């Protein structure tokens, strides 16, 4: 029996700001643990957040680069859950009024793995987006032999989440999407997107169903992968595992799994929470954001004009067939 694979990605991107999302603490990778903290990012009682304008600007900029609709009004919400790396026991995020919706990322031929570039299933494919929203990152846990330590330096770092439609159909397309997106983020100076530093992380939602079945299969999420090649390997393994389960007559249930890159297999972490489990509600300490002025400033700022011409020219190049690039001897970066 043949099976159809459906994949959606949730990509978390640390923005290139000097300070955190809701306080003045600096963002610095590799600093001594727990040295860049304050009552706000530690979630101490009575501390009030203040929005980082640059983080808002970079998120809107990303939305414009990817052809998104920019919401005229957006707001922040509290996402409630309990975990050691969450100092407030809730995360400030966005639920029903994100900054950006729709948009797409083109999968140009050279974004695919080299061993797959000669056999691309859907040339010139574009993966459409559901939304881009802004939130704060959590702290980082370090697991030792007999204990776990938590570094709160990362807590509160501006984190942009890019959510795709379930339009990716293979591990190779997921690889191409992440490669193309990373290039855009770096070129637009939105993020350094260094995966080894955790500046770009990816959660994958993957399901399989028999060919001819219209209803999607059970959604399995693979969490927190920090390399593009690791995403490809994890998806390839998980697709094989799910097909094996179905062919044995068993049922798949929605769950969250981790990826062990050394063992080359996924492992069960927990059954998946649904949105109502997080008890979202508007953050009472933050006013709604009106984005019209920010969008206009980004489009019209003199310092950005040359950058915009370059970005849009580069995007146009990426959308052209590879043959046209070869004929005109233009490199994928437009140089």
């Amino acid at each position: 029996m043949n099976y159809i694979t459906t994949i959606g990605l949730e990509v978390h991107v640390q923005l290139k700001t000097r300070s955190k999302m809701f306080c003045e603490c600096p963002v610095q990778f590799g600093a001594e643990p727990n040295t860049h903290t304050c009552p706000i990012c530690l979630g101490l009682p009575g501390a009030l957040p203040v929005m980082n304008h640059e983080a808002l600007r970079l998120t809107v900029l990303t939305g414009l680069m990817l052809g998104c609709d920019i919401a005229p009004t957006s707001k922040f919400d509290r996402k409630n859950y309990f975990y050691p790396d969450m100092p407030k026991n809730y995360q400030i995020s966005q639920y029903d009024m994100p900054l950006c919706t729709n948009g797409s990322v083109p999968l140009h031929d050279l974004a695919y793995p080299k061993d797959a570039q000669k056999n691309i299933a859907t040339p010139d494919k574009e993966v459409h987006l559901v939304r881009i929203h802004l939130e704060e990152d959590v702290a980082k846990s370090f697991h030792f032999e007999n204990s776990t330590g938590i570094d709160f330096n990362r807590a509160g770092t501006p984190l942009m989440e890019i959510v795709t439609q379930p339009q990716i159909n293979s591990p190779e397309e997921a690889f191409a999407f992440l490669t193309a997106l990373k290039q855009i983020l770096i070129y637009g100076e939105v993020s350094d997107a260094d995966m080894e530093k955790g500046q770009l992380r990816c959660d994958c939602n993957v399901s399989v169903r028999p060919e001819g079945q219209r209803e999607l299969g059970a959604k399995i999420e693979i969490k927190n992968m920090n390399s593009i090649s690791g995403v490809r390997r994890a998806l390839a393994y998980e697709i094989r595992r799910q097909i094996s389960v179905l062919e044995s007559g068993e049922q798949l249930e929605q769950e969250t799994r981790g990826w062990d890159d050394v063992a080359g297999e996924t492992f069960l972490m927990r059954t998946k929470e649904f949105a109502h489990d997080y008890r979202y509600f508007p953050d009472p300490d933050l006013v709604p954001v009106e984005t019209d002025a920010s969008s206009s400033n980004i489009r019209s700022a003199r310092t950005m004009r040359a950058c915009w011409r370059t970005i849009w020219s580069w995007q146009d190049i990426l959308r052209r067939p590879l043959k046209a690039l070869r004929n005109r001897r233009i490199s994928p970066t437009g140089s």
Side-chain angles (χ1 to χ4, degrees):
M1 181 182 293
N2 294 324
Y3 290 85
I4 298 172
T5 299
T6 303
I7 299 167
L9 301 181
E10 300 171 9
V11 185
H12 299 84
V13 181
Q14 284 190 3
L15 296 176
K16 200 172 181 178
T17 60
R18 291 192 298 268
S19 59
K20 293 186 180 181
M21 184 64 218
F22 298 110
C23 67
E24 295 182 348
C25 291
V27 175
Q28 180 185 359
F29 179 82
E32 288 295 315
N34 297 309
T35 54
H36 294 332
T37 60
C38 73
I40 295 174
C41 56
L42 289 177
L44 300 184
L48 294 176
V50 177
M51 276 181 273
N52 185 326
H53 179 271
E54 178 65 4
L56 294 169
R57 188 189 73 84
L58 291 175
T59 303
V60 171
L61 171 60
T62 303
L64 292 173
M65 287 194 294
L66 299 180
C68 298
D69 299 323
I70 309 302
T73 303
S74 183
K75 68 177 177 68
F76 286 91
D77 303 278
R78 292 187 179 182
K79 179 181 179 181
N80 297 273
Y81 66 95
F82 304 94
Y83 207 72
D85 62 11
M86 178 58 60
K88 300 187 292 291
N89 286 331
Y90 65 84
Q91 179 187 31
I92 300 178
S93 182
Q94 294 187 300
Y95 180 47
D96 57 339
M97 295 176 65
L99 283 164
C100 312
T101 55
N102 303 318
S104 64
V105 174
L107 308 187
H108 57 92
D109 291 10
L110 296 180
Y112 285 82
K114 288 185 178 180
D115 60 354
Q117 290 177 7
K118 293 182 179 180
N119 298 293
I120 297 174
T122 310
D124 303 321
K125 179 172 181 174
E126 291 191 12
V127 174
H128 293 86
L129 307 179
V130 176
R131 57 190 280 154
I132 302 176
H133 66 260
L134 186 57
E135 59 191 20
E136 58 179 343
D137 208 346
V138 297
K140 185 173 178 60
S141 299
F142 293 88
H143 301 290
F144 307 109
E145 186 175 354
N146 298 312
S147 63
T148 295
I150 301 178
D151 180 9
F152 286 96
N153 284 347
R154 195 178 72 177
T157 299
L159 195 68
M160 179 175 65
E161 182 169 346
I162 301 171
V163 182
T164 77
Q165 295 281 3
Q167 295 178 341
I168 298 171
N169 300 116
S170 70
E172 289 68 37
E173 285 187 359
F175 185 104
F177 175 89
L178 292 170
T179 300
L181 177 63
K182 181 178 178 180
Q183 290 172 344
I184 293 170
L185 295 172
I186 294 173
Y187 202 89
E189 297 185 348
V190 170
S191 172
D192 290 330
D194 188 331
M195 300 189 79
E196 291 184 358
K197 295 180 179 179
Q199 295 170 348
L200 193 151
R201 309 189 293 273
C202 182
D203 299 339
C204 302
N205 297 302
V206 55
S207 68
V208 299
R209 68 185 189 276
E211 199 171 55
Q213 177 181 310
R214 297 186 63 183
E215 183 182 355
L216 294 177
K219 183 176 70 174
I220 310 296
E221 183 177 26
I222 311 173
K223 292 288 287 185
N224 290 332
M225 285 172 288
N226 57 6
S227 77
I228 296 177
S229 58
V231 168
R232 185 189 184 191
R233 290 193 296 272
L235 286 171
Y237 170 86
E238 183 59 24
I239 291 167
R240 292 194 302 269
R241 187 193 71 84
Q242 291 185 30
I243 292 174
S244 176
V245 170
L246 293 177
E247 289 186 337
S248 69
E250 300 179 47
Q251 295 293 319
L252 291 164
E253 295 184 2
Q254 184 170 326
E255 62 188 22
T256 298
R257 302 179 71 85
W259 169 245
D260 186 333
D261 205 29
V262 176
E265 59 186 24
T266 61
F267 57 90
L268 178 64
M269 295 176 66
R270 58 183 179 271
T271 57
K272 174 62 180 174
E273 300 91 346
F274 294 90
H276 61 262
D277 293 331
Y278 293 122
R279 295 176 290 117
Y280 283 96
F281 65 88
D283 193 301
D285 295 330
L286 294 167
V287 298
V289 178
E290 293 186 356
T291 62
D292 287 345
S294 295
S295 300
S296 299
N297 289 340
I298 291 172
R299 288 190 175 100
S300 63
R302 290 182 180 178
T303 56
M304 291 296 293
R305 284 176 184 167
C307 180
W308 274 115
R309 284 195 297 269
T310 305
I311 290 170
W312 289 121
S313 173
W314 179 66
Q315 273 203 324
D316 180 57
I317 289 169
L318 288 183
R319 292 173 190 271
R320 298 174 193 167
L322 185 60
K323 290 181 180 178
L325 295 182
R326 287 173 177 161
N327 291 339
R328 296 186 59 185
R329 296 184 180 180
I330 300 174
S331 74
T333 55
S335 59

